[in-house]
Amino acid sequence: MKRRTLLATGASAAVAAAMGMPVRAAGHGPVKVGFIYIGPVGDGGWTYQHDQGRLLVEETFGDAVETIYQENVPESADAERAITQMVLSGADLIFTTSFGYMDVTNTVAAKFPDVKFEHATGYRRDTPNVATYDARFYEGRAVIGHIAGRMTKTNKIGYIASFPIPEVIQGINSAFLHARKANPDVEMVVIWAYTWFDPAKEADAAKAMIDQGVDVIMQHTDSTAPQAAAAEAGNVFTFGQASDMAAFAPTPRIASIIDNWGPYYVKRVQAVIDGTWESGNTWGGMPEGEVVIGEITEAVPADVKAEAEAMIAAITAGEYHPFTGPINKQDGSVFLAEGEVATDLQLVQMDFYLEGMLGDIPS
């Protein structure tokens, strides 16, 4: 099997790009699959888990596939350059694995129609060679929200948020909704870090919450820094984000949401090999095995663990949707009537807090 980190390309490749020429003929040699990462592969969270998917691609296909990646790519003009360089290195299929790559992915895809692109967590598919994929993270947030509501002693739980986009707002609302169902006295403190990966900012956010009396912390950021801050404080529980973060178990990390991208990556690479790849949108969750709750540790009482496992089983079987009415918006207006289930369109457009949440969503 072949693997290398992407390096800068030479002048001849730049000329090819300017002319809109493919770098190599289709079917020549192994299929080359590229990954663009927002953080380092060793972040212990989001990027780490995507890279585990890349490694499964290598393991599955052996020498039939070559994978390449570039890590620490900002969501800026740097991303367009990195994606373009990856095309020029001969990539047949490129996965761009952060929401902020959406526009530049479509820009580059329009220039290289013979290369296939897949963008994680986005919705734009401007050309037939772009697909999008996402995970129903809100399903996992419902489970850990329930655990958080049952585990808190101060009735204050915290959520370290990255950016105010629907994906993140879904998670906050799902966690709060299920924490409040488990414990009507729960309040949620949200701190917006405005970053996906910045250990210093994430640690500061965790410490600020702890100073406010929060004793259970959730996060939609990528590093293990909140786990470390909670461990230092003591008597504070956390949940692994994107990967298991098992190094912090059995406490403070008492469970985790694991993003299992590997099977999707294998399926899409196989489609390229078979010549059956098509554009489309995929949104997988617990039923598809794409959202997984990691080990619930012995720090969680047996009855709380059983309740969480029952919720996992119900969601996986399609018997329960985390956004099932009656649910009101923060202003008291109806979001979902009794028994009504949120549509995917409602979820991808979510830009409001639910009733009972304090504070405002930043604009």
Side-chain angles (χ1 to χ4, degrees):
M1 64 185 65
K2 301 177 181 179
R3 179 176 78 247
R4 68 179 177 86
T5 302
L6 181 65
L7 301 176
T9 55
S12 60
V15 172
M19 297 177 64
M21 297 168 54
V23 174
R24 62 187 175 90
H28 175 72
V31 171
K32 184 174 282 192
V33 183
F35 295 79
I36 299 289
Y37 296 145
I38 186 68
V41 294
D43 68 359
W46 175 265
T47 293
Y48 169 82
Q49 205 63 27
H50 281 284
D51 202 56
Q52 291 299 297
R54 179 185 67 81
L55 294 174
L56 182 63
V57 168
E58 288 192 342
E59 178 183 340
T60 301
F61 295 104
D63 288 340
V65 167
E66 176 184 356
T67 73
I68 56 178
Y69 68 89
Q70 186 159 340
E71 58 189 342
N72 294 316
V73 178
E75 295 173 322
S76 66
D78 291 338
E80 183 172 349
R81 287 190 288 270
I83 299 167
T84 300
Q85 288 176 350
M86 194 166 277
V87 171
L88 299 177
S89 76
D92 301 291
L93 170 65
I94 298 175
F95 295 96
T96 59
T97 64
S98 190
F99 180 81
Y101 298 148
M102 180 168 62
D103 293 344
V104 295
T105 298
N106 282 274
T107 296
V108 177
K111 298 176 183 177
F112 298 97
D114 293 330
V115 178
K116 297 169 177 62
F117 298 82
E118 302 226 6
H119 176 240
T121 74
Y123 53 84
R124 280 185 56 190
R125 297 179 298 280
D126 296 355
T127 54
N129 59 328
V130 178
T132 52
Y133 63 105
D134 203 348
R136 297 182 185 271
F137 307 117
Y138 64 84
E139 294 179 345
R141 309 287 182 205
V143 176
I144 67 170
H146 177 86
I147 297 172
R150 296 277 271 122
M151 294 295 290
T152 180
K153 298 295 189 295
T154 65
N155 292 329
K156 281 192 173 184
I157 61 177
Y159 203 108
I160 304 172
S162 47
F163 297 95
I165 59 176
E167 171 194 325
V168 179
I169 297 168
Q170 290 163 24
I172 294 170
N173 282 334
S174 182
F176 175 73
L177 178 66
H178 291 84
R180 182 61 74 88
K181 286 182 177 180
N183 178 355
D185 296 324
V186 158
E187 293 182 2
M188 177 178 278
V189 175
V190 178
I191 293 181
W192 294 93
Y194 293 99
T195 183
W196 294 112
F197 178 80
D198 188 323
K201 284 186 178 180
E202 294 172 66
D204 287 345
K207 292 173 184 177
M209 289 179 174
I210 293 168
D211 288 344
Q212 295 178 57
V214 166
D215 64 350
V216 185
I217 296 175
M218 294 168 277
Q219 66 184 95
H220 200 141
T221 53
D222 299 346
S223 87
T224 59
Q227 319 291 324
E232 182 179 351
N235 299 316
V236 177
F237 297 122
T238 61
F239 299 89
Q241 159 62 16
S243 70
D244 199 39
M245 298 186 177
F248 293 91
T251 57
R253 198 287 279 154
I254 55 175
S256 56
I257 298 176
I258 300 172
D259 306 338
N260 183 28
W261 301 111
Y264 178 81
Y265 288 151
V266 168
K267 178 181 177 180
R268 298 301 279 172
V269 172
Q270 185 68 60
V272 172
I273 292 172
D274 295 343
T276 59
W277 187 97
E278 293 181 347
S279 173
N281 178 61
T282 301
W283 200 5
M286 287 185 178
E288 296 79 14
E290 200 161 292
V291 176
V292 178
I293 299 297
E295 177 199 12
I296 301 173
T297 74
E298 62 268 25
V300 178
D303 59 335
V304 178
K305 180 177 180 179
E307 291 163 4
E309 289 175 339
M311 186 183 295
I312 294 168
I315 294 173
T316 301
E319 298 169 353
Y320 177 65
H321 191 291
F323 289 103
T324 301
I327 301 174
N328 289 341
K329 296 182 180 181
Q330 187 182 41
D331 63 7
S333 63
V334 174
F335 172 45
L336 298 170
E338 176 76 37
E340 184 181 4
V341 174
T343 65
D344 285 353
L345 181 60
Q346 287 175 304
L347 293 175
V348 300
Q349 294 179 339
M350 185 172 281
D351 60 357
F352 54 85
Y353 281 150
L354 296 184
E355 190 172 45
M357 281 289 297
L358 303 175
D360 298 317
I361 297 173
S363 57

